[in-house]
């Protein structure tokens, strides 16, 4: 698939607006909402590496959980949020929590204990044996937070699940990055987990979410870069995208 050409964006500054709420997308893939002093992350997928190993799908270095926790802890130190919302698929599978090492378990306990922590249920998640609240969805101000995006219009929805990524061409070179996907009415966060992959924003899975052009806020080293995309292609009849 050819990469989209980068275009000039009229979006300025480090904020994006969703249903009237001004949000700060971070290059790490986290999202901060200053008005609510809330940090949001999606699809941590703790213990994905060990899950692959137990299923005989190759051996990945077993450090993804520690890397993800380190990045999350750094994000919490930088923004010092009162509340943290995890948008589901925080654990890669039902037995992932049991595979956590003692150091990672201690890191997670300490991190959760410092904040008003909310675990949104995902399609992979067990009920975690950690502090914090477990919710299906939550509403804060004009926004509603859930794991999987709802098909059709849903103003104010903030979700994960799809692991959005985008490809662009710059001076003849193609690059792909995880991204936030937003059109001003709703937002899909990138996966935060170290081993989590990405689904191209032009995939038909995004077609029912954005009723026109939208922006992929691509993750860079020090900044998040908005790139305008046309509406994704509609899925063909009987051809649905699989769950992440």
């Amino acid at each position: 698939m050819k990469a989209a050409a980068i275009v000039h964006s009229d979006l300025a500054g480090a904020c994006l607006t969703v249903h009237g709420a001004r949000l700060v997308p971070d290059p790490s893939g986290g999202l901060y909402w200053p008005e609510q002093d809330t940090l949001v992350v999606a699809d941590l997928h703790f213990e994905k590496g060990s899950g692959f190993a137990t299923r005989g799908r190759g051996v990945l270095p077993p450090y993804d959980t520690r890397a993800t926790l380190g990045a999350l802890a750094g994000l919490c130190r930088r923004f010092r949020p009162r509340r943290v919302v995890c948008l589901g698929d925080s654990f890669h599978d039902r037995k992932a929590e049991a595979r956590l090492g003692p150091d990672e378990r201690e890191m997670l306990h300490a991190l959760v204990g410092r904040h008003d922590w909310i675990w949104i249920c995902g399609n992979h998640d067990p009920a975690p044996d950690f502090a914090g609240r477990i919710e299906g969805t939550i509403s804060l101000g004009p926004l509603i937070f859930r794991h999987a995006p709802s098909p059709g219009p849903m103003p104010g929805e903030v979700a994960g699940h799809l692991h959005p990524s985008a490809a662009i061409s710059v001076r003849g070179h193609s690059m792909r990055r995880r991204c936030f996907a937003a059109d001003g009415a709703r937002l899909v966060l990138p996966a935060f987990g170290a081993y989590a992959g990405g689904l191209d924003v032009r995939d038909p899975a995004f077609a029912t979410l954005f009723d026109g052009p939208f922006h992929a806020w691509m993750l860079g080293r020090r900044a998040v870069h908005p790139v305008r995309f046309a509406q994704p292609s509609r899925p063909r009849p009987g051809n649905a995208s699989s769950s992440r």
Side-chain angles (χ1 to χ4, degrees):
M1 183 178 290
K2 294 176 67 176
I6 191 167
V7 298
H8 175 73
S9 172
D10 57 0
L11 300 177
C15 290
L16 60 85
T17 300
V18 176
H19 202 45
R22 289 179 59 80
L23 310 172
V24 180
D26 190 80
S28 67
L31 182 78
Y32 182 61
W33 188 3
E35 182 182 353
Q36 292 283 340
D37 196 13
T38 295
L39 180 68
V40 187
V41 291
D43 298 282
L44 300 168
H45 283 273
F46 293 140
E47 293 302 306
K48 182 172 183 176
S50 64
F52 272 47
T54 59
R55 293 176 179 83
R57 297 174 62 185
V59 179
L60 295 171
Y63 307 120
D64 56 308
T65 298
R66 180 168 296 194
T68 301
L69 281 170
L72 184 54
L75 199 58
C76 288
R77 285 193 299 270
R78 187 156 70 255
F79 288 105
R80 298 183 180 181
R82 178 176 62 86
R83 180 191 295 116
V84 176
V85 178
C86 298
L87 294 179
D89 285 2
S90 297
F91 294 85
H92 185 64
D93 56 55
R94 301 288 175 179
K95 298 181 180 180
E97 186 178 344
R99 298 196 301 272
L100 283 173
D103 291 343
E104 288 74 22
R105 187 174 294 273
E106 183 177 343
M107 288 172 67
L108 186 53
H109 268 299
L111 194 57
V112 172
R114 296 188 192 109
H115 307 275
D116 175 14
W117 200 279
I118 300 174
W119 304 97
I120 299 292
C121 298
N123 56 300
H124 287 258
D125 284 322
D129 185 25
F130 289 92
R133 307 192 334 253
I134 301 172
E135 303 283 356
T137 63
I138 61 166
S139 295
L140 297 173
L143 303 183
I144 183 168
F145 297 85
R146 58 168 50 96
H147 174 59
S150 306
M154 187 60 65
E157 183 180 75
V158 178
H161 182 59
L162 292 179
H163 300 201
S165 67
I168 60 172
S169 180
V170 180
R171 300 185 183 92
H173 297 282
S174 177
M175 66 176 69
R176 181 178 295 276
R177 296 286 187 272
R178 299 184 193 189
C179 68
F180 299 85
D183 65 352
R186 75 196 311 172
L187 169 66
V188 183
L189 270 70
F192 195 86
Y195 281 171
L199 179 67
D200 195 290
V201 293
R202 290 163 299 181
D203 187 272
F206 291 93
T208 62
L209 307 184
F210 302 118
D211 192 25
F214 65 98
H215 282 83
W217 293 70
M218 299 177 67
L219 308 186
R221 290 182 179 274
R222 297 181 180 85
V224 179
H225 307 281
V227 179
R228 187 175 184 273
F229 280 80
Q231 184 182 23
S233 301
R234 292 279 176 177
R236 296 176 181 176
N239 187 19
S241 296
S242 61
S243 63
R244 305 300 298 162

